[in-house]
Coordinates of all heavy atoms in Angstrom, one line a residue:
M1 N 0.9 -1.0 -4.0 CA 1.8 -1.1 -2.9 C 2.5 -2.5 -3.2 O 2.0 -3.5 -3.6 CB 1.1 -1.2 -1.5 CG 2.1 -1.4 -0.4 SD 1.3 -1.5 1.3 CE 0.0 -0.3 1.2
Q2 N 3.8 -2.5 -3.0 CA 4.7 -3.7 -3.2 C 4.4 -4.7 -2.2 O 4.1 -4.3 -1.1 CB 6.1 -3.3 -3.3 CG 6.5 -2.5 -4.5 CD 8.0 -2.1 -4.5 OE1 8.7 -2.5 -3.6 NE2 8.4 -1.5 -5.6
K3 N 4.7 -5.9 -2.5 CA 4.5 -7.1 -1.6 C 5.3 -6.9 -0.3 O 4.9 -7.2 0.7 CB 4.8 -8.3 -2.3 CG 4.4 -9.6 -1.7 CD 4.7 -10.8 -2.5 CE 3.7 -11.9 -2.3 NZ 4.0 -13.0 -3.2
N4 N 6.6 -6.4 -0.5 CA 7.4 -6.3 0.6 C 6.9 -5.3 1.7 O 6.9 -5.5 2.8 CB 8.8 -5.9 0.2 CG 9.9 -5.9 1.2 OD1 9.8 -6.7 2.2 ND2 10.9 -5.1 1.1
T5 N 6.4 -4.1 1.1 CA 5.9 -3.1 2.0 C 4.7 -3.6 2.7 O 4.5 -3.3 3.9 CB 5.6 -1.8 1.1 OG1 6.7 -1.5 0.3 CG2 5.1 -0.7 2.0
Y6 N 3.8 -4.3 2.0 CA 2.6 -4.8 2.6 C 3.0 -5.8 3.8 O 2.4 -5.7 4.9 CB 1.8 -5.7 1.6 CG 0.6 -6.3 2.2 CD1 -0.5 -5.6 2.5 CD2 0.6 -7.7 2.5 CE1 -1.7 -6.3 3.1 CE2 -0.4 -8.3 3.0 CZ -1.5 -7.6 3.3 OH -2.6 -8.3 3.9
K7 N 4.0 -6.7 3.6 CA 4.5 -7.6 4.6 C 5.0 -6.9 5.8 O 4.8 -7.2 7.0 CB 5.5 -8.5 4.1 CG 4.9 -9.6 3.2 CD 6.0 -10.5 2.7 CE 5.5 -11.7 1.9 NZ 6.5 -12.7 1.4
Q8 N 5.8 -5.8 5.6 CA 6.3 -4.9 6.6 C 5.2 -4.4 7.5 O 5.2 -4.5 8.8 CB 7.1 -3.8 6.2 CG 8.5 -4.2 5.6 CD 9.2 -3.0 5.0 OE1 8.7 -1.9 4.8 NE2 10.5 -3.2 4.9
M9 N 4.2 -3.8 6.8 CA 3.1 -3.2 7.6 C 2.3 -4.3 8.3 O 1.8 -4.1 9.5 CB 2.1 -2.5 6.7 CG 2.9 -1.2 6.1 SD 1.8 -0.3 5.0 CE 0.8 0.6 6.2
A10 N 2.0 -5.4 7.7 CA 1.3 -6.5 8.4 C 2.0 -7.0 9.5 O 1.4 -7.4 10.6 CB 1.1 -7.6 7.3
T11 N 3.4 -7.1 9.5 CA 4.2 -7.6 10.6 C 4.1 -6.6 11.8 O 4.0 -7.0 12.9 CB 5.7 -7.8 10.2 OG1 5.7 -8.7 9.1 CG2 6.5 -8.3 11.3
L12 N 4.2 -5.3 11.5 CA 4.1 -4.3 12.5 C 2.7 -4.3 13.2 O 2.6 -4.1 14.4 CB 4.4 -2.9 11.9 CG 5.8 -2.6 11.6 CD1 6.0 -1.4 10.8 CD2 6.7 -2.6 12.8
M13 N 1.7 -4.6 12.4 CA 0.3 -4.5 13.0 C -0.2 -5.8 13.5 O -1.3 -5.9 14.0 CB -0.6 -3.9 12.0 CG -0.3 -2.5 11.5 SD -0.2 -1.3 12.9 CE -2.0 -1.1 13.3
A14 N 0.6 -6.9 13.4 CA 0.1 -8.2 13.8 C -0.4 -8.3 15.3 O -1.4 -8.9 15.6 CB 1.2 -9.2 13.5
P15 N 0.4 -7.6 16.2 CA -0.1 -7.8 17.6 C -1.4 -7.0 17.8 O -2.2 -7.5 18.6 CB 1.0 -7.0 18.4 CG 2.3 -7.1 17.5 CD 1.7 -7.1 16.1
Y16 N -1.7 -6.0 17.0 CA -2.9 -5.2 17.1 C -4.1 -6.1 16.6 O -5.1 -6.0 17.1 CB -2.7 -4.0 16.3 CG -4.0 -3.0 16.3 CD1 -4.3 -2.4 17.4 CD2 -4.7 -2.9 15.1 CE1 -5.4 -1.5 17.4 CE2 -5.8 -2.0 15.1 CZ -6.1 -1.3 16.3 OH -7.2 -0.5 16.3
L17 N -3.8 -6.9 15.6 CA -4.9 -7.8 15.1 C -5.0 -9.1 15.8 O -6.0 -9.9 15.5 CB -4.5 -8.1 13.6 CG -4.7 -7.0 12.6 CD1 -4.1 -7.4 11.3 CD2 -6.1 -6.6 12.5
K18 N -4.2 -9.4 16.7 CA -4.1 -10.8 17.4 C -5.5 -11.1 18.0 O -5.8 -12.3 18.0 CB -3.1 -10.7 18.4 CG -2.7 -12.1 18.9 CD -1.6 -12.1 19.8 CE -1.1 -13.5 20.2 NZ 0.1 -13.5 21.1
K19 N -6.2 -10.2 18.6 CA -7.5 -10.6 19.3 C -8.6 -10.9 18.3 O -9.5 -11.5 18.6 CB -7.9 -9.4 20.1 CG -6.9 -8.9 21.2 CD -7.1 -9.7 22.4 CE -6.1 -9.1 23.4 NZ -6.0 -9.9 24.6
G20 N -8.5 -10.5 17.0 CA -9.5 -10.8 16.0 C -10.7 -10.0 16.1 O -11.8 -10.3 15.7
I21 N -10.6 -8.8 16.7 CA -11.7 -7.9 16.8 C -12.0 -7.2 15.4 O -11.0 -6.8 14.7 CB -11.4 -6.7 17.8 CG1 -11.2 -7.4 19.1 CG2 -12.5 -5.7 17.9 CD1 -10.6 -6.5 20.2
A22 N -13.2 -7.3 14.9 CA -13.6 -6.8 13.6 C -13.2 -5.3 13.4 O -12.7 -4.9 12.3 CB -15.1 -7.0 13.4
Y23 N -13.3 -4.5 14.4 CA -13.0 -3.1 14.2 C -11.6 -2.9 14.0 O -11.1 -2.0 13.2 CB -13.4 -2.3 15.5 CG -13.0 -0.8 15.4 CD1 -13.7 0.1 14.7 CD2 -12.0 -0.4 16.2 CE1 -13.3 1.4 14.6 CE2 -11.5 1.0 16.2 CZ -12.2 1.9 15.4 OH -11.9 3.1 15.4
R24 N -10.7 -3.7 14.6 CA -9.2 -3.6 14.4 C -8.9 -4.0 12.9 O -8.0 -3.4 12.3 CB -8.5 -4.4 15.4 CG -8.6 -3.9 16.7 CD -7.8 -4.6 17.8 NE -7.8 -4.0 19.0 CZ -7.0 -4.4 20.1 NH1 -6.2 -5.4 19.9 NH2 -7.1 -3.8 21.2
Q25 N -9.6 -5.0 12.4 CA -9.3 -5.4 11.1 C -9.7 -4.3 10.1 O -9.0 -4.1 9.1 CB -10.1 -6.7 10.8 CG -9.6 -7.9 11.6 CD -10.5 -9.1 11.5 OE1 -11.6 -9.0 10.9 NE2 -10.1 -10.2 12.0
K26 N -10.8 -3.7 10.4 CA -11.2 -2.6 9.6 C -10.2 -1.4 9.6 O -9.9 -0.8 8.6 CB -12.6 -2.0 10.1 CG -13.2 -0.9 9.3 CD -14.5 -0.5 9.9 CE -15.2 0.6 9.2 NZ -16.4 1.0 9.8
Q27 N -9.7 -1.1 10.8 CA -8.7 -0.1 10.9 C -7.4 -0.4 10.1 O -6.8 0.5 9.5 CB -8.3 0.1 12.4 CG -9.5 0.9 13.1 CD -9.6 2.3 12.7 OE1 -10.3 2.6 11.6 NE2 -9.1 3.2 13.4
V28 N -7.0 -1.6 10.1 CA -5.7 -2.0 9.4 C -6.0 -1.9 7.9 O -5.2 -1.5 7.2 CB -5.3 -3.5 9.8 CG1 -4.2 -3.9 8.9 CG2 -4.8 -3.4 11.3
R29 N -7.3 -2.3 7.5 CA -7.6 -2.1 6.1 C -7.5 -0.7 5.7 O -7.0 -0.4 4.6 CB -9.0 -2.7 5.8 CG -8.9 -4.2 5.7 CD -10.2 -4.8 5.0 NE -11.4 -4.4 5.7 CZ -12.0 -5.0 6.7 NH1 -11.5 -6.1 7.2 NH2 -13.2 -4.5 7.2
R30 N -8.0 0.2 6.6 CA -7.9 1.6 6.3 C -6.5 2.1 6.2 O -6.1 2.9 5.4 CB -8.6 2.4 7.3 CG -10.1 2.4 7.2 CD -10.8 3.2 8.4 NE -12.2 3.3 8.1 CZ -13.0 3.7 9.0 NH1 -12.7 4.0 10.3 NH2 -14.3 3.9 8.7
L31 N -5.7 1.6 7.1 CA -4.2 2.0 7.1 C -3.6 1.6 5.8 O -2.9 2.4 5.2 CB -3.5 1.4 8.3 CG -2.0 1.6 8.3 CD1 -1.8 3.0 8.6 CD2 -1.4 0.7 9.4
L32 N -3.8 0.4 5.3 CA -3.3 -0.1 4.0 C -3.8 0.8 2.9 O -3.1 1.1 2.0 CB -3.5 -1.6 3.9 CG -3.0 -2.5 4.9 CD1 -3.5 -3.9 4.7 CD2 -1.4 -2.5 4.7
A33 N -5.1 1.1 2.9 CA -5.6 2.0 1.9 C -5.0 3.3 1.9 O -4.7 3.9 0.9 CB -7.2 2.1 2.0
I34 N -4.7 3.9 3.1 CA -4.1 5.2 3.2 C -2.7 5.2 2.5 O -2.3 6.0 1.7 CB -3.9 5.7 4.7 CG1 -5.3 6.0 5.2 CG2 -3.0 6.9 4.8 CD1 -5.3 6.2 6.7
Y35 N -1.9 4.2 3.0 CA -0.6 4.0 2.3 C -0.6 3.7 0.8 O 0.2 4.2 0.1 CB 0.3 3.1 3.1 CG 1.0 3.8 4.3 CD1 0.4 3.9 5.5 CD2 2.3 4.2 4.1 CE1 1.0 4.6 6.5 CE2 3.0 4.8 5.2 CZ 2.3 5.0 6.4 OH 2.9 5.7 7.4
D36 N -1.5 2.9 0.4 CA -1.7 2.6 -1.0 C -2.0 3.9 -1.8 O -1.4 4.1 -2.8 CB -2.9 1.6 -1.2 CG -2.7 0.7 -2.3 OD1 -1.5 0.6 -2.8 OD2 -3.6 0.0 -2.6
D37 N -2.9 4.7 -1.2 CA -3.2 6.0 -1.9 C -2.0 7.0 -1.9 O -1.7 7.5 -3.0 CB -4.3 6.7 -1.2 CG -4.7 8.0 -1.9 OD1 -5.4 7.9 -2.8 OD2 -4.3 9.0 -1.3
I38 N -1.2 7.0 -0.9 CA -0.1 7.9 -0.8 C 1.0 7.3 -1.8 O 1.5 8.1 -2.6 CB 0.5 7.8 0.6 CG1 -0.4 8.7 1.6 CG2 2.0 8.5 0.6 CD1 0.0 8.7 3.0
F39 N 1.3 6.1 -1.8 CA 2.2 5.5 -2.8 C 1.7 5.7 -4.3 O 2.6 5.8 -5.1 CB 2.5 4.0 -2.5 CG 3.3 3.8 -1.2 CD1 3.0 2.8 -0.4 CD2 4.3 4.7 -0.8 CE1 3.7 2.6 0.8 CE2 5.0 4.5 0.4 CZ 4.6 3.5 1.1
A40 N 0.5 5.7 -4.5 CA 0.0 5.9 -5.8 C 0.1 7.3 -6.4 O 0.4 7.5 -7.5 CB -1.5 5.5 -5.9
H41 N 0.0 8.3 -5.4 CA 0.0 9.7 -5.8 C 1.4 10.2 -5.6 O 1.7 11.3 -6.2 CB -0.9 10.5 -5.0 CG -2.3 10.4 -5.4 ND1 -3.1 9.4 -4.9 CD2 -3.0 11.1 -6.2 CE1 -4.3 9.5 -5.4 NE2 -4.3 10.5 -6.3
E42 N 2.4 9.5 -5.0 CA 3.7 10.1 -4.8 C 4.7 8.9 -5.1 O 5.2 8.3 -4.3 CB 3.9 10.5 -3.4 CG 2.8 11.2 -2.8 CD 3.0 12.6 -2.5 OE1 4.2 13.1 -2.7 OE2 2.1 13.4 -2.1
P43 N 4.9 8.7 -6.5 CA 5.8 7.6 -6.9 C 7.2 7.7 -6.5 O 7.9 6.6 -6.5 CB 5.6 7.6 -8.5 CG 5.2 9.0 -8.7 CD 4.4 9.5 -7.6
Y44 N 7.7 8.9 -6.2 CA 9.1 9.0 -5.8 C 9.5 8.4 -4.4 O 10.6 8.3 -4.1 CB 9.5 10.5 -5.8 CG 8.8 11.3 -4.9 CD1 9.2 11.5 -3.6 CD2 7.6 11.9 -5.3 CE1 8.5 12.3 -2.7 CE2 6.9 12.7 -4.4 CZ 7.3 12.9 -3.1 OH 6.6 13.7 -2.3
L45 N 8.5 8.0 -3.7 CA 8.6 7.4 -2.4 C 9.2 5.9 -2.5 O 9.7 5.4 -1.5 CB 7.4 7.4 -1.5 CG 6.9 8.8 -1.2 CD1 5.5 8.7 -0.4 CD2 7.9 9.5 -0.3
N46 N 9.0 5.3 -3.6 CA 9.5 4.0 -3.9 C 9.0 2.9 -2.9 O 9.6 2.0 -2.5 CB 11.0 3.9 -3.9 CG 11.6 4.8 -5.0 OD1 11.1 4.9 -6.1 ND2 12.7 5.4 -4.7
D47 N 7.7 3.2 -2.5 CA 7.1 2.2 -1.5 C 7.8 2.0 -0.3 O 7.8 0.9 0.3 CB 6.7 0.9 -2.2 CG 5.5 1.0 -3.1 OD1 4.9 2.1 -3.2 OD2 5.1 0.0 -3.6
E48 N 8.6 3.0 0.2 CA 9.3 2.9 1.6 C 8.5 3.6 2.6 O 8.2 4.8 2.6 CB 10.6 3.5 1.3 CG 11.6 2.8 0.4 CD 12.9 3.5 0.4 OE1 13.4 4.0 1.3 OE2 13.5 3.4 -0.8
I49 N 8.1 2.9 3.6 CA 7.3 3.4 4.8 C 8.0 4.5 5.4 O 7.4 5.5 5.8 CB 7.1 2.2 5.8 CG1 6.2 1.1 5.1 CG2 6.3 2.8 7.0 CD1 6.1 -0.1 5.9
T50 N 9.3 4.4 5.6 CA 10.0 5.5 6.3 C 10.1 6.8 5.6 O 10.4 7.8 6.2 CB 11.5 5.1 6.7 OG1 12.1 4.7 5.5 CG2 11.5 3.8 7.6
R51 N 9.9 6.8 4.3 CA 10.0 8.0 3.5 C 8.6 8.8 3.5 O 8.6 10.0 3.1 CB 10.3 7.7 2.0 CG 11.8 7.2 2.0 CD 12.2 7.0 0.6 NE 12.5 8.3 0.0 CZ 12.8 8.5 -1.3 NH1 12.9 7.4 -2.1 NH2 12.9 9.7 -1.8
V52 N 7.6 8.2 4.0 CA 6.3 9.0 4.1 C 6.3 9.9 5.3 O 6.6 9.4 6.4 CB 5.1 7.9 4.3 CG1 3.8 8.7 4.5 CG2 5.0 7.1 3.0
G53 N 6.1 11.1 5.1 CA 6.2 12.1 6.2 C 5.1 13.0 6.2 O 3.9 12.8 5.7
R54 N 5.3 14.2 6.8 CA 4.2 15.1 7.1 C 3.6 15.7 5.8 O 2.4 15.8 5.7 CB 4.9 16.3 7.8 CG 3.9 17.4 8.2 CD 4.7 18.4 9.1 NE 3.8 19.4 9.6 CZ 3.0 19.3 10.7 NH1 3.2 18.2 11.4 NH2 2.2 20.2 11.1
K55 N 4.4 15.9 4.8 CA 4.0 16.4 3.6 C 3.0 15.5 2.8 O 2.0 15.8 2.3 CB 5.1 16.7 2.6 CG 4.8 17.2 1.3 CD 6.1 17.5 0.4 CE 5.7 17.7 -1.0 NZ 6.9 17.6 -1.9
Q56 N 3.3 14.2 2.8 CA 2.6 13.2 2.2 C 1.3 12.9 2.9 O 0.2 12.8 2.3 CB 3.3 11.9 2.1 CG 4.4 11.9 1.1 CD 5.7 12.6 1.6 OE1 5.9 12.6 2.8 NE2 6.5 13.2 0.7
I57 N 1.3 13.0 4.3 CA 0.0 12.9 5.1 C -0.9 14.0 4.8 O -2.2 13.8 4.7 CB 0.4 12.7 6.6 CG1 1.3 11.4 6.8 CG2 -0.9 12.5 7.4 CD1 0.6 10.0 6.6
I58 N -0.4 15.2 4.8 CA -1.2 16.4 4.6 C -1.8 16.3 3.2 O -3.0 16.6 3.0 CB -0.3 17.7 4.7 CG1 0.0 17.9 6.3 CG2 -1.1 18.9 4.2 CD1 0.9 19.0 6.5
G59 N -1.0 15.9 2.2 CA -1.5 15.6 0.9 C -2.7 14.7 0.9 O -3.7 14.8 0.1
Y60 N -2.5 13.6 1.6 CA -3.7 12.6 1.7 C -4.9 13.2 2.3 O -6.0 13.1 1.8 CB -3.3 11.4 2.6 CG -4.3 10.5 2.7 CD1 -4.8 9.6 1.7 CD2 -5.1 10.4 3.9 CE1 -5.8 8.7 1.8 CE2 -6.2 9.6 4.1 CZ -6.5 8.7 3.1 OH -7.6 7.8 3.2
W61 N -4.7 14.0 3.4 CA -5.9 14.6 4.0 C -6.5 15.6 3.0 O -7.8 15.7 3.0 CB -5.5 15.5 5.2 CG -5.1 14.6 6.4 CD1 -4.0 14.9 7.2 CD2 -5.7 13.4 7.0 NE1 -3.9 13.9 8.1 CE2 -4.9 13.0 8.1 CE3 -6.8 12.7 6.6 CZ2 -5.3 11.8 8.8 CZ3 -7.1 11.6 7.4 CH2 -6.4 11.2 8.5
E62 N -5.8 16.3 2.2 CA -6.3 17.2 1.2 C -7.1 16.4 0.1 O -8.2 16.9 -0.3 CB -5.2 18.0 0.5 CG -4.6 19.1 1.4 CD -5.6 20.2 1.9 OE1 -6.3 20.6 1.0 OE2 -5.5 20.5 3.0
R63 N -6.7 15.3 -0.2 CA -7.3 14.5 -1.3 C -8.7 13.9 -0.8 O -9.5 13.6 -1.6 CB -6.4 13.4 -1.8 CG -5.3 13.9 -2.7 CD -4.6 12.7 -3.4 NE -3.9 11.8 -2.5 CZ -2.7 12.0 -2.0 NH1 -2.0 13.0 -2.4 NH2 -2.1 11.1 -1.2
T64 N -8.7 13.8 0.5 CA -9.9 13.1 1.1 C -10.8 14.0 1.9 O -11.4 13.7 2.9 CB -9.5 11.9 1.9 OG1 -8.6 12.4 3.0 CG2 -8.8 10.8 1.2
K65 N -10.9 15.3 1.4 CA -11.6 16.2 2.2 C -13.1 15.9 2.3 O -13.8 16.3 3.2 CB -11.6 17.6 1.5 CG -10.3 18.4 1.7 CD -10.4 19.7 1.1 CE -9.2 20.5 1.4 NZ -9.1 21.8 0.7
G66 N -13.7 15.1 1.4 CA -15.0 14.8 1.3 C -15.5 13.8 2.4 O -16.7 13.6 2.5
E67 N -14.6 13.1 3.1 CA -15.0 12.2 4.0 C -15.5 12.8 5.3 O -15.2 14.0 5.6 CB -13.7 11.3 4.5 CG -13.2 10.5 3.3 CD -12.0 9.7 3.7 OE1 -11.3 10.1 4.7 OE2 -11.7 8.7 3.1
S68 N -16.3 12.1 6.1 CA -16.9 12.6 7.3 C -15.8 12.8 8.4 O -14.8 12.2 8.3 CB -18.0 11.7 7.8 OG -17.5 10.6 8.3
S69 N -16.1 13.6 9.3 CA -15.1 13.9 10.4 C -14.9 12.6 11.1 O -13.9 12.4 11.7 CB -15.6 15.0 11.2 OG -16.8 14.8 11.8
A70 N -15.9 11.8 11.4 CA -15.8 10.6 12.1 C -14.7 9.6 11.5 O -13.9 9.1 12.1 CB -17.1 9.9 12.3
V71 N -14.9 9.5 10.2 CA -14.0 8.6 9.4 C -12.5 9.2 9.5 O -11.6 8.4 9.7 CB -14.5 8.4 7.9 CG1 -13.4 7.8 7.1 CG2 -15.7 7.7 7.9
R72 N -12.4 10.4 9.3 CA -11.1 11.1 9.3 C -10.4 10.9 10.7 O -9.3 10.7 10.8 CB -11.2 12.5 9.0 CG -11.5 12.7 7.4 CD -11.9 14.1 7.0 NE -10.9 15.0 7.0 CZ -10.1 15.4 6.0 NH1 -10.2 14.7 4.9 NH2 -9.1 16.3 6.1
K73 N -11.3 11.0 11.8 CA -10.8 10.8 13.1 C -10.3 9.4 13.3 O -9.2 9.2 13.9 CB -11.9 11.2 14.1 CG -11.5 11.2 15.5 CD -12.6 11.6 16.4 CE -12.2 11.7 17.9 NZ -13.4 12.1 18.7
E74 N -11.1 8.5 12.9 CA -10.6 7.1 13.0 C -9.4 6.8 12.2 O -8.4 6.1 12.6 CB -11.7 6.1 12.6 CG -12.9 6.2 13.5 CD -14.2 5.3 12.9 OE1 -14.0 4.7 11.8 OE2 -15.2 5.3 13.6
K75 N -9.2 7.3 11.1 CA -8.0 7.2 10.2 C -6.8 7.8 11.0 O -5.8 7.3 10.9 CB -8.2 7.7 8.8 CG -9.1 6.9 8.0 CD -9.2 7.4 6.6 CE -10.0 6.6 5.6 NZ -10.0 7.1 4.3
Y76 N -7.1 8.9 11.6 CA -6.0 9.6 12.3 C -5.5 8.7 13.4 O -4.3 8.6 13.7 CB -6.5 11.0 12.8 CG -5.5 11.7 13.7 CD1 -4.3 12.2 13.2 CD2 -5.7 11.7 15.1 CE1 -3.4 12.9 14.0 CE2 -4.8 12.3 15.9 CZ -3.7 12.9 15.4 OH -2.8 13.5 16.2
K77 N -6.5 8.1 14.1 CA -6.1 7.2 15.3 C -5.2 6.1 14.8 O -4.2 5.7 15.5 CB -7.3 6.7 16.0 CG -8.0 7.8 16.9 CD -9.2 7.2 17.5 CE -9.9 8.3 18.3 NZ -11.1 7.7 19.0
V78 N -5.6 5.4 13.7 CA -4.8 4.2 13.2 C -3.4 4.7 12.7 O -2.4 4.0 12.9 CB -5.6 3.5 12.2 CG1 -5.6 4.1 10.9 CG2 -5.0 2.1 12.1
L79 N -3.4 5.9 12.1 CA -2.1 6.4 11.7 C -1.2 6.7 12.9 O 0.0 6.3 12.9 CB -2.2 7.7 10.9 CG -2.5 7.6 9.4 CD1 -2.9 8.9 8.8 CD2 -1.4 6.9 8.7
C80 N -1.7 7.3 14.0 CA -0.9 7.5 15.2 C -0.4 6.2 15.8 O 0.7 6.0 16.2 CB -1.8 8.2 16.2 SG -2.0 9.9 15.8
L81 N -1.3 5.2 15.8 CA -0.9 3.9 16.3 C 0.2 3.3 15.4 O 1.1 2.7 16.0 CB -2.2 2.9 16.3 CG -1.9 1.5 16.8 CD1 -1.7 1.5 18.3 CD2 -3.0 0.6 16.3
F82 N 0.0 3.4 14.1 CA 1.1 2.8 13.3 C 2.5 3.6 13.5 O 3.5 2.9 13.5 CB 0.6 2.9 11.8 CG 1.7 2.4 10.9 CD1 1.9 1.0 10.8 CD2 2.4 3.2 10.1 CE1 2.9 0.5 9.9 CE2 3.3 2.7 9.2 CZ 3.6 1.4 9.1
Y83 N 2.4 4.8 13.6 CA 3.7 5.6 13.8 C 4.3 5.2 15.1 O 5.5 5.1 15.2 CB 3.3 7.1 13.8 CG 3.6 7.9 12.5 CD1 2.9 7.5 11.4 CD2 4.5 8.9 12.4 CE1 3.2 8.1 10.2 CE2 4.8 9.5 11.3 CZ 4.1 9.1 10.1 OH 4.3 9.8 8.9
N84 N 3.5 5.0 16.2 CA 4.1 4.4 17.4 C 4.7 3.0 17.3 O 5.8 2.8 17.8 CB 3.1 4.4 18.5 CG 2.8 5.9 19.0 OD1 3.5 6.8 18.8 ND2 1.5 6.0 19.5
K85 N 3.9 2.2 16.6 CA 4.4 0.8 16.4 C 5.7 0.7 15.5 O 6.6 -0.1 15.7 CB 3.4 -0.1 16.0 CG 2.3 -0.3 16.9 CD 1.7 -1.7 16.8 CE 0.5 -1.9 17.7 NZ 1.0 -2.5 18.9
A86 N 5.8 1.6 14.6 CA 6.9 1.5 13.6 C 8.0 2.4 14.0 O 9.1 2.5 13.4 CB 6.4 1.9 12.2
N87 N 7.9 3.1 15.2 CA 8.9 4.0 15.7 C 9.3 5.0 14.6 O 10.5 5.3 14.5 CB 10.1 3.2 16.2 CG 9.8 2.4 17.4 OD1 9.0 2.8 18.2 ND2 10.4 1.2 17.5
L88 N 8.4 5.6 14.0 CA 8.6 6.6 13.0 C 8.8 8.0 13.7 O 8.2 8.2 14.6 CB 7.6 6.6 11.9 CG 7.4 5.4 11.1 CD1 6.2 5.5 10.2 CD2 8.5 5.1 10.2
R89 N 9.7 8.8 13.1 CA 9.9 10.2 13.7 C 8.7 11.1 13.3 O 8.0 10.9 12.4 CB 11.2 10.7 13.1 CG 12.4 10.0 13.5 CD 13.6 10.6 13.1 NE 13.5 10.8 11.6 CZ 14.3 11.5 10.8 NH1 15.3 12.2 11.5 NH2 14.2 11.6 9.5
G90 N 8.6 12.1 14.2 CA 7.6 13.1 13.9 C 6.2 12.7 14.4 O 6.0 11.6 15.0
K91 N 5.3 13.6 14.2 CA 3.9 13.5 14.6 C 3.1 13.4 13.4 O 3.4 13.9 12.3 CB 3.4 14.6 15.5 CG 4.0 14.7 16.8 CD 3.5 15.8 17.6 CE 4.1 16.0 18.9 NZ 3.4 17.0 19.8
V92 N 1.9 12.7 13.5 CA 1.0 12.6 12.4 C 0.2 13.9 12.4 O -0.4 14.3 13.3 CB 0.1 11.4 12.6 CG1 -0.9 11.4 11.4 CG2 0.8 10.2 12.6
P93 N 0.2 14.7 11.2 CA -0.6 15.9 11.2 C -2.1 15.5 11.2 O -2.6 14.6 10.6 CB -0.3 16.5 9.9 CG 0.4 15.5 9.1 CD 0.9 14.4 10.0
K94 N -2.8 16.3 12.0 CA -4.3 16.1 12.2 C -5.0 16.6 11.0 O -4.6 17.6 10.3 CB -4.9 16.9 13.4 CG -4.4 16.3 14.7 CD -5.1 17.0 15.8 CE -4.7 16.3 17.2 NZ -5.4 16.9 18.3
P95 N -6.1 15.9 10.6 CA -7.0 16.5 9.5 C -7.7 17.7 10.0 O -8.0 17.8 11.1 CB -7.9 15.3 9.2 CG -8.0 14.5 10.5 CD -6.6 14.7 11.1
K96 N -8.0 18.6 9.0 CA -8.7 19.8 9.3 C -10.2 19.6 9.2 O -10.6 18.8 8.6 CB -8.2 20.9 8.4 CG -6.8 21.3 8.7 CD -6.4 22.4 7.8 CE -4.9 22.7 8.0 NZ -4.4 23.8 7.2

């Protein structure tokens, strides 16, 4: 992930991290890992947050089928939160 993209995501999630709760820090690390994985597997996105959509999220869920349902549920929650904070269009597809 490029430095600029990381800064954009950190800026959007700063109010969420403000309290310093360890769980929230873990969730933001997960969010960064999700986007890092998506950008690594889909180079045509050019590290633009707004270009990540339903197809890329579904691809991520397919690549991480081996994770437990609890982890996938937590990742889904942080993705939903990020979509709301970033005012991105559409809904986050749920993992199966």
